Amino acid sequence: MNKKTFLAPAIALLGLTCAAVSAVADDDPVIMTINGKPVPRSEFEYSYNKNNGEDVIDHKTVEEYVELFVNYKRKVEAALEAKYDTMASYKKEFRQYRDQQVEPTLINDDDVEREAQKIYSDTKKRIGPDGLVNPRHILIRVGQNAEEAEMQKAAQRADSIYNAIAQGAKFEDLAVALSQDPGSARRGGEIGWIQHGQTLPKFEEAAFALKDGEVSKPVLTEVGYHIIKMQGHKQLEPYDSLRADIYNFIEKRGIREAMAKNRLKEIAEVKGMTEEQVMDSRADSISALSLDMKYLIQEYHDGLLLFEISNREVWDKAAKDEAGLEKFFKKNKKKYTWDEPRFKGIAYHTRDAADVEAVKKSVKGKKFADWAQILRTTFNNDSTLRIRVEKGLFKKGDNGLVDRNEFGVNDAKIKEVKDFPNNATFGKVIKAPEELSDVRALVVADYQEAMEKEWLKELEARYPVVVNQEVLKTVKPVTK
């Protein structure tokens, strides 16, 4: 499990919350102490309401949620005690998550509005008094290094198209049928509104010289001959009518983020601080004014700690404990049963018929875990592949060849492999898992769960919790 995948559900389900404070306001009483540290009611209330909304399937009462909250807080306390929060890698990652929330607050709506108006003003200046034009075109392509004969042929074709239009042929139909600009051809030659500087100079010169409804004679540019039809002219619309589009442009192009980063640099220079110090100060200021932001920042802070310590104490530790996993599997072997048999082996295809038996002989008597390496080095160790193999535990329906050969399904559909006409299987049908590798994923998950329970017992002994039941009764679930 990676940290990004973990953080979202961890925050949503575990209620990651704010670190304990030394003093609590009169209207925010202490709801519990964990290892002697007070937890304000607002922290628990925020966590409870965030994780028990309408979309939550396993809805908890306030009393039921206490155990989840306490277990989480104990894990974070253990991570702090282990000083995981002092690791350089942790600090860097936490700042990245935190700054994603804080950095946007460096600018406000007025800043964005000024930027939007600036974009409009700059655009209007670029467009200039000539405004915008809306041409269609038909293109006959000619390479820049084309020989004279090719140039003449293209010119003649362009002339014939122009003459057809002059005699009444519909421009749009000819564009679809004959234009060698695929993008605009599909739209009947439609290019869209353009301004000076957006296209090839010679094309632009010809287009802006046309009146509405006029069609140009063939115009030669760097890419070929164009026949241009002018559909209309206009000036840039008023700001208010384009405001929504400009705002959408700002969001899509990441301009808002760039503005925030520029503002951060400006503040750092003016105050003689590093950008990191500015962000620390900003986060503190916002947290002092907004409990939601305070607890959101703490979610990232504690969520990363929770990931780190859970990985070390449970997830990664359990997954790598081969001796422990083997022992756990043997002790709980009866738990891992199947509702139907499995075929443990290989379904394979060979180029030569002789290799069908050769494959069986090469792996017979060897450990199942080693089969893939044996087959690879024996049969596919050079540029010529002799076999195609699928190895694993197959239940009925997983593989047509296995279904026919091992489960007796006469009408099984077998997927043939080109150039490998000989199909075979080798292995055995088993009614229940024989070894850890047969159900490793399930065993790892169960072993992790068992280790987690033991860890929680240890944390319970290390970090005592006292809950103020009277304050707990005052927690207000949010109703929507």
Side-chain angles (χ1 to χ4, degrees):
M1 180 182 292
N2 61 51
K3 292 180 183 176
K4 288 184 179 179
T5 303
F6 167 75
L7 275 177
I11 289 171
L13 298 176
L14 296 176
L16 314 187
T17 51
C18 179
V21 293
S22 57
V24 181
D26 293 339
D27 60 349
D28 194 9
V30 172
I31 197 168
M32 66 181 70
T33 58
I34 298 178
N35 198 32
K37 297 180 180 180
V39 177
R41 179 180 59 192
S42 62
E43 180 180 340
F44 178 86
E45 200 166 66
Y46 170 91
S47 177
Y48 174 76
N49 284 317
K50 184 168 184 178
N51 298 298
N52 285 276
E54 294 179 349
D55 297 333
V56 176
I57 298 175
D58 187 18
H59 191 278
K60 303 289 184 185
T61 65
V62 170
E63 293 73 17
E64 290 171 336
Y65 190 71
V66 169
E67 182 180 357
L68 290 175
F69 182 83
V70 166
N71 286 341
Y72 157 72
K73 294 291 287 183
R74 281 174 167 150
K75 292 175 184 178
V76 173
E77 186 70 17
L80 290 170
E81 190 175 275
K83 299 188 183 303
Y84 292 156
D85 60 327
T86 66
M87 298 187 304
S89 59
Y90 167 82
K91 289 180 178 180
K92 180 180 179 182
E93 192 160 12
F94 164 62
R95 288 183 184 280
Q96 288 175 342
Y97 281 108
R98 183 202 64 183
D99 292 354
Q100 287 175 4
Q101 303 301 322
V102 176
E103 198 171 79
T105 69
L106 293 171
I107 59 173
N108 56 35
D109 291 344
D110 289 340
D111 295 321
V112 178
E113 176 63 20
R114 281 193 292 273
E115 182 65 22
Q117 291 188 9
K118 182 178 182 299
I119 291 172
Y120 177 82
S121 177
D122 291 346
T123 302
K124 192 169 185 179
K125 287 178 182 177
R126 285 197 305 272
I127 289 174
D130 288 343
L132 301 160
V133 294
N134 185 16
R136 294 177 185 267
H137 83 140
I138 297 171
L139 172 66
I140 303 302
R141 289 191 177 276
V142 182
Q144 290 187 10
N145 299 319
E147 295 182 356
E148 183 63 28
E150 185 180 352
M151 289 289 294
Q152 289 181 359
K153 183 177 180 182
Q156 290 171 0
R157 189 174 187 189
D159 285 338
S160 67
I161 294 173
Y162 172 76
N163 291 331
I165 296 169
Q167 293 172 15
K170 191 173 182 182
F171 188 99
E172 291 79 357
D173 293 343
L174 293 178
V176 171
L178 303 174
S179 179
Q180 293 174 335
D181 174 14
S184 67
R186 291 193 296 268
R187 301 185 298 272
E190 179 78 49
I191 294 174
W193 290 98
I194 61 172
Q195 64 189 53
H196 282 298
Q198 279 190 305
T199 185
L200 300 169
K202 291 181 180 178
F203 180 96
E204 179 182 302
E205 182 182 352
F208 274 88
L210 293 172
K211 295 179 180 179
D212 289 358
E214 280 188 335
V215 176
S216 74
K217 291 183 178 180
V219 177
L220 179 62
T221 72
E222 294 89 333
V223 297
Y225 286 97
H226 308 257
I227 299 100
I228 307 169
K229 179 181 180 180
M230 181 51 58
Q231 299 186 103
H233 295 69
K234 71 175 183 179
Q235 293 298 320
L236 187 63
E237 292 87 343
Y239 172 74
D240 287 345
S241 65
L242 295 176
R243 185 172 182 270
D245 293 332
I246 296 173
Y247 267 67
N248 187 47
F249 174 81
I250 288 173
E251 296 301 329
K252 286 187 175 181
R253 293 297 181 92
I255 295 174
R256 184 188 292 267
E257 291 80 359
M259 290 170 62
K261 290 185 183 300
N262 289 335
R263 180 63 53 81
L264 175 59
K265 291 179 181 178
E266 293 171 2
I267 295 172
E269 290 176 2
V270 170
K271 294 191 173 183
M273 303 164 65
T274 66
E275 292 183 11
E276 191 173 282
Q277 288 171 329
V278 172
M279 292 302 289
D280 288 344
S281 176
R282 183 69 176 175
D284 290 342
S285 298
I286 296 174
S287 296
L289 297 173
S290 168
L291 280 180
D292 283 349
M293 181 62 82
K294 173 183 178 180
Y295 292 144
L296 178 60
I297 291 173
Q298 195 65 34
E299 286 176 352
Y300 293 122
H301 179 277
D302 291 352
L304 291 168
L305 286 176
L306 185 63
F307 179 91
E308 188 66 37
I309 195 166
S310 296
N311 200 41
R312 296 192 186 203
E313 296 293 333
V314 178
W315 303 330
D316 196 47
K317 186 176 181 180
K320 293 179 178 178
D321 183 8
E322 294 299 328
L325 286 168
E326 192 65 49
K327 182 178 179 181
F328 187 86
F329 170 70
K330 290 179 180 178
K331 182 179 178 180
N332 299 278
K333 193 172 182 179
K334 292 182 180 179
K335 176 182 178 180
Y336 303 106
T337 58
W338 295 321
D339 55 1
E340 58 181 344
R342 301 286 195 273
F343 171 67
K344 183 177 181 179
I346 55 174
Y348 63 102
H349 315 269
T350 71
R351 287 183 185 275
D352 300 324
D355 278 338
V356 171
E357 289 303 316
V359 166
K360 297 177 182 179
K361 289 179 181 179
S362 69
V363 297
K364 187 175 182 179
K366 305 295 193 305
K367 289 183 179 180
F368 186 62
D370 297 333
W371 284 18
Q373 179 64 21
I374 292 170
L375 294 173
R376 186 163 45 250
T377 56
T378 304
F379 297 95
N380 292 339
N381 201 28
D382 54 31
S383 59
T384 302
L385 300 180
R386 293 165 58 186
I387 63 173
R388 295 283 191 182
V389 183
E390 185 178 353
K391 171 180 173 287
L393 277 167
F394 303 87
K395 64 179 182 297
K396 190 180 293 186
D398 286 347
N399 183 287
L401 185 56
V402 171
D403 286 351
R404 185 193 69 183
N405 289 8
E406 306 297 335
F407 295 129
V409 180
N410 294 326
D411 59 348
K413 294 182 179 179
I414 299 172
K415 186 177 180 180
E416 299 295 335
V417 180
K418 185 180 179 182
D419 299 328
F420 295 81
N422 307 289
N423 307 317
T425 55
F426 183 70
K428 59 182 176 180
V429 174
I430 56 178
K431 294 182 178 180
E434 296 180 322
E435 55 188 346
L436 171 63
S437 61
D438 294 341
V439 282
R440 184 181 180 85
L442 291 175
V443 176
V444 169
D446 290 344
Y447 189 42
Q448 288 172 336
E449 184 178 349
M451 289 183 70
E452 169 116 359
K453 289 179 180 178
E454 291 300 315
W455 183 36
L456 286 173
K457 287 181 182 178
E458 177 192 336
L459 295 179
E460 183 178 358
R462 284 168 58 188
Y463 306 120
V465 173
V466 178
V467 178
N468 187 325
Q469 295 296 332
E470 292 304 313
V471 175
L472 187 66
K473 293 177 183 177
T474 66
V475 171
K476 298 176 181 179
V478 173
T479 56
K480 296 182 180 180

